[in-house]
Amino acid sequence: MAKVIDGKKISQEIKEELKQKVAELKQQGKQGCLAVIQVGADPASSVYVRNKKRACEYIGIASASYELPEETTEAELLKLIGQLNRDAQITGILVQLPVPEQIDENKVIQAIDPSKDVDGFHPQNVGALVSGLPGFVSCTPAGIIQLLKRSGNTIAGKECVVIGRSNIVGKPMALLMLRENATVTVAHSKTENLPQLCSRADILIVAIGKPRFIDASYINECAVVIDVGIHRNEEGKLCGDVDYEQVMPHTEAITPVPGGVGPMTIAMLMHNCVEAMEKQ
Ligand code: GUN
């Protein structure tokens, strides 16, 4: 029976540490404010945005909300980002993705000042990660590293398979695991013999975007399974990319959905916000 890796508990530990740090920074006269921009009213995005603002409040930094209508133009959004870049009170800027189709997501990401890019999506921060230089790291993969380390799982020397090659999760995840001295394979929708490949993994990180896709045939008895997916099943219950009930009895450790990777993403966003505040 697998050990369950408790993301809720670990994220809480991190937020407590950050709360302490923010109090110290405030004593040095530093203030932080995260600008959170949401274009349109996608219900899932609204939940994420609300949770991010709550986390700011919890650790003691301010947040400024910009709720723009669905029909906002690219030029209008870029203008707002320009204003926030120049505003010394604003230490972090986050545009909740996805944006409506009239707006080019890449242009938005590139418009954010890299020193305020707490999501770690700007090419300068991505390039820093590739080159091993300091910069903001994408929150979900950074959170997975913390989950592994703080639950006592060794990364160095292990064989890691990452399923998924998105800019937000799969690619930065592979780079971070490499930085931690794992041997890394990135698998994706065109990968052949996926169950065979995955069953070699000591650490399997699943960001495939398909509900309960990974069953016991993909897993070995000694693997640590990290599930990045979040979906609602037929009964409206949350589930991940991994068939938790089936896999759980056949592996070493696993993250649940909810309560695994999800809370870590916000904790690492707060980590980045504090770093931005510190660098002021
Ligand atoms: N949409 C889904 N995940 C994320 C994230 O980590 N940051 C932002 N800004 N939007 C997202």
Side-chain angles (χ1 to χ4, degrees), residues 76-265:
E76 285 165 337
L77 179 57
L78 294 178
K79 185 172 168 218
L80 172 61
I81 293 170
Q83 285 165 359
L84 296 169
N85 283 341
R86 290 186 294 276
D87 185 340
Q89 307 291 322
I90 300 290
T91 48
I93 302 172
L94 179 155
V95 179
Q96 186 63 32
L97 303 177
V99 285
E101 60 184 13
Q102 73 275 15
I103 299 174
D104 181 341
E105 182 177 297
N106 281 319
K107 278 195 195 160
V108 171
I109 290 170
Q110 286 170 36
I112 297 172
D113 181 333
S115 71
K116 297 188 180 188
D117 169 39
V118 286
D119 262 327
F121 294 165
H122 190 284
Q124 185 175 310
N125 284 317
V126 177
L129 175 61
V130 174
S131 312
L133 297 169
F136 291 115
V137 177
S138 183
C139 304
T140 299
I144 291 170
I145 298 289
Q146 287 301 314
L147 262 188
L148 289 167
K149 288 187 170 175
R150 290 176 185 242
S151 59
N153 289 290
T154 308
I155 303 175
K158 301 291 181 188
E159 185 149 353
C160 172
V161 174
V162 179
I163 318 181
R165 53 176 158 180
S166 68
N167 288 341
I168 294 184
V169 182
K171 285 185 215 168
M173 189 73 248
L175 290 162
L176 283 177
M177 291 303 275
L178 196 55
R179 190 159 94 177
E180 296 293 335
N181 299 307
T183 302
V184 185
T185 305
V186 182
H188 45 77
S189 55
K190 301 281 192 297
T191 299
E192 291 181 359
N193 302 324
L194 189 61
Q196 195 188 352
L197 179 77
C198 292
S199 62
R200 275 185 17 199
D202 300 311
I203 302 171
L204 179 66
I205 301 174
V206 189
I208 203 168
K210 293 181 187 159
R212 283 187 262 161
F213 183 84
I214 299 295
D215 62 26
S217 69
Y218 289 74
I219 311 283
N220 81 61
E221 298 277 331
C222 307
V224 177
V225 181
I226 306 290
D227 188 351
V228 182
I230 185 149
H231 315 275
R232 269 191 202 281
N233 69 12
E234 313 79 44
E235 300 130 41
K237 260 185 70 184
L238 292 175
C239 69
D241 291 351
V242 177
D243 188 333
Y244 184 85
E245 274 75 32
Q246 207 198 104
V247 168
M248 151 86 161
H250 297 287
T251 197
E252 177 75 22
I254 190 165
T255 60
V257 177
V261 172
M264 294 302 293
T265 300

Side-chain angles (χ1 to χ4, degrees), residues 4-63:
V4 179
I5 300 175
D6 189 345
K8 217 171 153 184
K9 178 163 157 266
I10 296 173
S11 70
Q12 191 59 34
E13 273 168 32
I14 293 173
K15 284 191 284 183
E16 294 305 331
E17 291 164 17
L18 292 170
K19 196 173 180 174
Q20 184 73 33
K21 185 105 180 243
V22 168
E24 287 164 20
L25 290 170
K26 279 186 176 169
Q27 285 192 334
Q28 296 167 24
K30 293 190 176 178
Q31 298 289 338
C33 181
L34 174 66
V36 182
I37 306 174
Q38 183 182 355
V39 188
D42 172 62
S45 289
S46 299
V47 173
Y48 291 131
V49 162
R50 189 175 344 120
N51 289 339
K52 289 170 184 180
K53 289 190 294 194
R54 273 199 197 138
C56 284
E57 193 180 345
Y58 186 79
I59 68 159
I61 64 176
S63 64

